Amino acid sequence: MASATTMLLSSLIYFKDGYEAANEYNEGLRQVKWPLDYFMKCHQQTDRFYAQVGNGVADHQQWERPEDNTLPRPSYVVGAGASQSGGADVMGETAAALAAASIVFKATDVTYSNYLLDNATSLYALAKNNPGTYNAAVTDGAQFYSSSHWEDEMAHAAAWLAKAYEGNAIADTYLSESEAYLDHSSIWALEWDDKRGLVNFVLYEMTNNDIYKNNLINFFKSDWLFNGGTELSQPGLAFRLQWGSLRYAANAAYLALLSAKENINSESYKTFAKSQVDYFLGLSSHNNQFSYVVGFGTNYPKQPHHKAASCPYASDDPNCGWNYFNIDQDNPHTLYGALVGGPKNQAGTDYEDRRTDYVSNEVACDYNAGFTGALAGLKYFGLSPPA
């Protein structure tokens, strides 16, 4: 959630004009405020952070409406009170979100902006004292989202703190710490488990240091651009991994547009980003005009893997259960705007619209975050698809 929130916030900062052109900027502020308030409630005590509420294993054993969920909601802590050390990854990324948010809200609510920045500063300090991933401390979360590193989240947090404190002497300290945490090896993808792509962008935008620019160029040249790199998918989709393949392509498209904004290979990066968004929306000739965005166009997923969308109104059937998961029929509710996982192979030929296939049809906040940023970026550059 912190990763998705930071991604959205970064797009509200860098592509604000795009959101405003679409009359969606205020809606963007409304959307991010909910997770931000939640994050700060999880850090009421300065020596700990509640990294997870609810049990993932138990949650996966039931299929019901959210309002019917009566499962226990245990909480899992990192920092003081944790059974194991670590947690700098989840605390660092949450600090990044809060710091970025302080920038976003500074123009509209100074008091709230300062509160966000105070919490970001405190949480980052706590993360520095608890190096390591959260895997051992929050084993339930690690079953579903095992963290491979923690330094990238700390680099991300320090970069956003440097930007939030810009003009203040402490900004230089955060900038140095971000640079120290950043690993310059090749970047596999921009995703919830690897923030280095966005870190490199923020640092380049702040410092104009070519080392970060070159890291971004190498990322796209090595793995993403069809011209000059490996053509990862014949039908037009930049394919990275079968699980949530469109999420990786959406994040790459967003990062390409950010880079284009800083005049890094602008034309080729904008072309690449638009090709990916067109593919998602069914506007590409390569995917038979099938839209992977629920509710967009006429041919789109009708069975996204989503409990609430698949359950009928209680007045129609008070008992939603696994029968509604397994039944092969359209969801009774349209989950407008959700980007599904997408194809599982490079050819893009194996997609089936079945909610039981969660690899292809799962929806998630982090799937939509980069996609939303890419849409705002296209709007910013005047490259939007038709409404």
Side-chain angles (χ1 to χ4, degrees), residues 17-352:
D17 290 351
Y19 280 100
E20 290 180 335
N23 296 315
E24 292 292 345
Y25 184 71
N26 289 334
E27 178 63 19
L29 297 183
R30 190 182 74 84
Q31 290 291 334
V32 295
K33 193 173 185 302
W34 188 94
L36 293 169
D37 290 346
Y38 170 78
F39 296 152
M40 290 189 288
K41 288 177 181 177
C42 292
H43 185 48
Q44 293 294 300
Q45 298 163 281
T46 58
D47 65 349
R48 68 194 65 197
F49 178 72
Y50 288 90
Q52 179 176 310
V53 177
N55 183 275
V57 174
D59 184 73
H60 278 71
Q61 292 173 349
Q62 293 194 6
W63 192 266
E64 75 291 286
R65 304 175 187 89
E67 62 269 27
D68 295 336
N69 187 329
T70 58
L71 291 170
R73 307 289 288 173
S75 59
Y76 302 85
V77 69
V78 290
S83 60
Q84 300 288 333
S85 61
D89 45 5
V90 65
M91 288 188 281
E93 187 60 24
T94 307
L98 296 172
S102 74
I103 300 170
V104 170
F105 284 94
K106 192 171 185 178
T108 58
D109 190 338
V110 174
T111 300
Y112 186 60
S113 171
N114 290 338
Y115 186 50
L116 288 161
L117 188 53
D118 288 345
N119 273 268
T121 305
S122 170
L123 192 55
Y124 176 73
L126 180 62
K128 286 177 67 176
N129 291 328
N130 290 272
T133 70
Y134 84 132
N135 293 345
V138 188
T139 54
D140 178 75
Q143 290 185 64
F144 303 95
Y145 296 97
S146 180
S147 180
S148 57
H149 300 89
W150 56 276
E151 294 89 349
D152 58 312
E153 283 86 6
M154 292 297 287
H156 204 198
W160 282 111
L161 282 164
K163 188 167 180 63
Y165 278 109
E166 207 160 16
N168 188 308
I170 198 174
D172 290 338
T173 299
Y174 286 123
L175 189 60
S176 296
E177 291 180 359
S178 179
E179 292 172 328
Y181 279 122
L182 181 61
D183 176 1
H184 291 276
S185 61
S186 62
I187 302 170
W188 184 81
L190 173 59
E191 52 149 349
W192 66 267
D193 194 36
D194 192 343
K195 314 305 190 309
R196 289 177 298 152
L198 197 51
V199 175
N200 275 286
F201 172 78
V202 176
L203 291 178
Y204 178 68
E205 187 259 343
M206 292 182 66
T207 68
N208 208 35
N209 187 328
D210 280 348
I211 190 173
Y212 308 118
K213 175 182 176 179
N214 291 332
N215 286 344
L216 291 167
I217 290 172
N218 289 334
F219 169 69
F220 288 108
K221 182 178 180 180
S222 299
D223 291 313
W224 292 98
L225 288 184
F226 298 122
N227 297 315
T230 304
E231 187 166 340
L232 297 179
S233 176
Q234 296 301 318
L237 172 65
F239 184 90
R240 203 40 164 148
L241 187 72
Q242 67 170 0
W243 198 310
S245 61
L246 301 186
R247 164 257 312 267
Y248 296 106
N251 292 351
Y254 173 53
L255 187 59
L257 290 168
L258 286 175
S259 301
K261 189 172 188 285
E262 289 298 308
N263 298 312
I264 304 174
N265 296 332
S266 292
E267 293 309 312
S268 62
Y269 285 10
K270 286 188 287 187
T271 298
F272 164 74
K274 189 174 187 301
S275 75
Q276 297 310 289
V277 173
D278 283 352
Y279 187 94
F280 308 153
L281 297 177
L283 303 175
S284 167
S285 60
H286 296 293
N287 66 350
N288 299 315
Q289 284 71 55
F290 182 81
S291 167
Y292 291 97
V293 178
V294 179
F296 185 88
T298 58
N299 190 17
Y300 57 82
K302 306 298 196 302
Q303 293 188 33
H305 181 87
H306 188 272
K307 292 180 181 180
S310 73
C311 291
Y313 287 113
S315 58
D316 295 328
D317 187 346
N319 301 310
C320 181
W322 288 106
N323 53 316
Y324 285 104
F325 168 79
N326 289 306
I327 191 170
D328 186 14
Q329 67 180 28
D330 295 354
N331 288 353
H333 310 293
T334 303
L335 196 64
Y336 287 102
L339 179 70
V340 299
K344 289 183 288 188
N345 64 15
Q346 290 188 358
T349 56
D350 66 343
Y351 177 79
E352 290 186 63

